[in-house]
């Protein structure tokens, strides 16, 4: 497949691995890039800018294909040193960035000075247009289906993608809810020139998560995600487990404050308990609606090859057959 | 376009007008059928079974193309005489039915006795499989995007359609959020063999609603719908107007009961104030997320021809171009 996204990024398949906290390691990113997609190292998964630089160097020993770095800027009382992380990535030679959360405007001079490509992930048409106006090279448009933070508008990709496409000039990547070749074909029809997947990549052989998590995603159906933090205007889609249901129940109680919920979702509990130890009910972990479409745990290479083949078959046979 | 749905229903375009309370009149249904889609008369918009029979006879004077009748079975303290409505439609010669709400199982013998085709609209995979198991000829799978009742699972069509397609044998119609040719192509890629549109048909020349309503839909963006009755497990997606926002605010107050909300949404207020008088803030009216994609008020014929042409162009040029 050839689109403005494959050309912009120098990749074979128009498929990007979205930034994922704790999961976006050198090994994960290299596996996706070696499979012909764009792997992404998540900057803030590394404890310091120096460690990010080492992770990038490690990735370069694992693949000679392009990969990128994600930086997600969220509201925080003690924000991490974003600019230092970015500088470390630039110093390590990274020239593709996925930004998410707040507008990347403060960092654009840093990116532009070295000719880096910037894909900003956003959950609304107005934010996509803002990203275009400040010089982003592409946008990832993230629908209500997505894992993590879908925003507060609750517009789904079937509507959000064509709405954004009607107004954007830069290329658009579809993000949220995607994990099959039929969805790849559908998103291309809706105006996207590539797709971004997070959850689907967690259920691959190479993903650095406990096998229990991969098995749970295979077993889950499409109703097994939950929205938490809605009452705090910081909605997040997570796997519907015991703790997610407790959080939702607490939020529904009048007078609940974040300090009442915090023990349940604190710090690295999700990482240490769910991702590493495989006790899936003992923390919060992000998962998109696409869990309902995941039926296997393939290698990244098999996943991408099969998805592209399925999409091509659908276009050549099913769709061309229907129009006769 | 040729699919199992166009063959089943004997129609030119794989596009069905979904049942719409107050809007699904003989004139509306005939306009859609004359345009090559399947028009649908809404049974319960007529005050009596006898009047439904007259409406069907009127429709037959306006078109010689196939059309159907919708019957929606909702929980009610004093339910309308569903079986009598259906018998009236059968007596008037109708052989295509769209059922919605509760399972059509009690009516299947009535339908099967006359060889009528039944398309059941449902909002989950499990209900679609149930419809298949009781002998429905097709299902309309209705995503979170839809106007009216999306159910309580909140699964979007980008995920719900492929999830249903993985398990269904009977043909599937995509419903909810749809109003463009790009979406038609996308839904066909996701496994649908036709689409169902409600809201998009309200913004046509022939729709029997006040011009203010059509203009409001053209002006609206994709964020201008609202979910009400969530707290009552009877969620409905409506246009985000003053009353919808009042209802949502009331529902958020602890202790609110339906009797507190009822004056705002009572009886035919939406029909008389919004649909007929054009005072769009003085009642509740259903609208799907697709309001964000509606930019004109065409005739049904232009709408369907343009959508099919756009979908065909996307398949032949955009998608075939991408795969090379």
């Amino acid at each position: 497949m050839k689109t403005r996204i494959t050309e912009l990024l120098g990749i074979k398949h128009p498929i990007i691995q979205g930034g994922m906290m704790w999961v976006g390691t050198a090994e994960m990113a290299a596996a996706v890039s070696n499979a012909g997609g764009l792997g992404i190292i998540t900057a803030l998964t590394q404890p310091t800018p120096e460690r990010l630089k080492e992770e990038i160097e490690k990735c370069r020993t694992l693949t000679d294909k392009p990969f990128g770095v994600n930086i997600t800027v969220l509201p925080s009382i003690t924000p991490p040193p974003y600019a230092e992380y970015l500088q470390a990535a630039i110093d390590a030679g990274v020239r593709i960035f996925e930004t998410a959360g707040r507008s990347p405007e403060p960092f654009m001079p840093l990116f532009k000075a070295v000719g880096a490509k910037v894909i900003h992930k956003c959950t609304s048409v107005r934010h996509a247009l803002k990203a275009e106006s400040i010089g982003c090279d592409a946008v990832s448009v993230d629908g209500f289906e997505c894992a993590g933070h879908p925003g507060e508008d609750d517009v789904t990709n079937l509507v959000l993608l064509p709405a954004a496409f009607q107004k954007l000039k830069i290329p658009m990547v579809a993000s949220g809810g995607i994990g099959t070749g039929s969805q790849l074909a559908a998103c291309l029809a809706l105006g996207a020139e590539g797709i971004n997947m997070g959850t689907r990549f967690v259920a691959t052989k190479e993903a650095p998560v406990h096998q229990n998590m991969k098995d749970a995603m295979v077993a889950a159906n499409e109703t097994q995600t939950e929205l938490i933090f809605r009452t705090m205007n910081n909605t997040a889609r997570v796997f519907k487990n015991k703790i997610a249901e407790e959080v939702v129940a607490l939020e529904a109680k009048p007078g609940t404050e974040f300090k009442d919920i915090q023990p349940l979702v604190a710090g690295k509990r999700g990482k240490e308990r769910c991702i590493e130890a495989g006790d899936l009910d003992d923390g919060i972990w992000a998962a998109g609606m696409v869990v309902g479409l995941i039926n296997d745990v393939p290698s990244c290479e098999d996943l991408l090859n099969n998805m592209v083949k399925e999409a091509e078959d659908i276009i050549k046979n099913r769709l061309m057959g229907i129009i006769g």
Side-chain angles (χ1 to χ4, degrees), chain A:
Chain A
M1 292 187 171
K2 191 172 166 177
T3 70
R4 284 190 291 170
I5 289 295
T6 59
E7 300 299 290
L8 178 74
L9 305 175
I11 53 179
K12 182 179 173 193
H13 302 311
I15 302 177
I16 298 172
Q17 171 229 325
M20 288 179 281
M21 201 59 184
W22 314 126
V23 178
T25 59
E27 288 82 0
M28 179 86 253
V32 175
S33 290
N34 282 331
L38 185 81
I40 297 270
I41 292 173
T42 306
L44 299 182
T45 292
Q46 301 305 319
T48 63
E50 182 54 34
R51 287 283 292 279
L52 172 60
K53 204 165 163 229
E54 289 167 24
E55 196 73 8
I56 292 164
E57 283 156 6
K58 184 178 180 187
C59 193
R60 200 157 281 127
T61 68
L62 301 172
T63 184
D64 56 3
K65 300 276 180 14
F67 61 89
V69 162
N70 160 280
I71 188 108
T72 297
V73 180
L74 292 173
S76 171
I77 296 164
T78 49
Y82 295 115
E84 290 173 39
Y85 274 98
L86 289 182
Q87 193 60 55
I90 286 170
D91 291 347
V94 171
R95 292 295 179 268
I96 300 174
F97 288 90
E98 178 192 67
T99 59
R102 292 200 176 159
S103 168
E105 196 163 10
F107 309 120
M108 291 306 284
L110 213 56
F111 295 135
K112 292 293 169 183
V114 296
K117 309 294 181 197
V118 181
I119 307 169
H120 184 59
K121 183 186 274 188
C122 41
T123 60
S124 70
V125 176
R126 63 190 183 284
H127 290 150
L129 291 172
K130 169 75 178 173
E132 178 175 270
S133 77
I134 63 170
C136 290
D137 299 279
V139 280
S140 271
V141 171
D142 211 20
F144 178 65
E145 296 85 353
C146 73
H149 296 284
E152 309 302 325
D153 284 350
D154 298 358
V155 181
T156 77
N157 268 332
L158 182 64
V159 174
L160 186 60
L161 293 172
F165 185 61
Q166 285 180 0
K167 296 190 176 166
L168 283 169
K169 287 184 234 28
I170 56 175
M172 172 173 82
V173 175
S175 181
I178 309 169
T180 72
S182 69
Q183 293 174 302
L184 168 57
C187 290
L188 295 173
L190 294 171
E193 300 193 42
I195 59 171
N196 181 304
M197 303 195 300
T199 303
R200 174 66 264 206
F201 278 121
V202 180
T204 57
K205 288 205 170 83
E206 295 93 337
V209 309
H210 197 282
Q211 185 66 33
N212 288 357
M213 186 172 280
K214 302 179 188 184
D215 294 343
M217 294 167 73
V218 170
N221 72 29
E222 65 283 358
T223 69
Q224 286 176 263
T225 69
E226 186 89 80
L227 295 177
I228 62 170
F229 303 159
R230 174 115 280 184
T231 56
M232 294 153 200
N233 267 329
N234 188 27
T235 300
R237 186 178 297 282
V238 299
F239 197 79
K240 189 187 273 181
N241 64 7
K242 199 169 138 273
I243 290 204
E245 292 184 350
E246 280 175 38
V247 170
V248 168
L250 268 176
E251 287 194 84
K253 271 198 199 164
T256 297
E257 292 173 41
F258 185 61
K259 67 175 170 51
D260 307 317
I261 296 172
Q262 204 166 17
L264 294 173
V265 299
K268 296 183 178 173
R269 179 167 164 174
K271 179 201 175 211
E272 287 167 4
R273 297 303 308 142
C274 304
I275 296 182
E276 290 173 0
D279 184 354
L280 301 185
D281 267 331
D282 198 25
I284 290 294
W285 49 288
M289 244 182 234
V290 71
V291 290
L293 299 172
I294 295 175
N295 302 318
D296 59 2
V297 181
S299 68
C300 288
E301 187 175 0
D302 285 346
L303 176 65
L304 297 203
N305 285 342
N306 290 342
M307 282 184 66
V308 169
K309 186 179 177 314
E310 187 197 351
E312 289 180 344
D313 281 349
I314 285 171
I315 294 166
K316 272 189 288 193
N317 300 314
R318 178 177 173 85
L319 297 180
M320 288 298 285
I322 286 173
I323 69 177

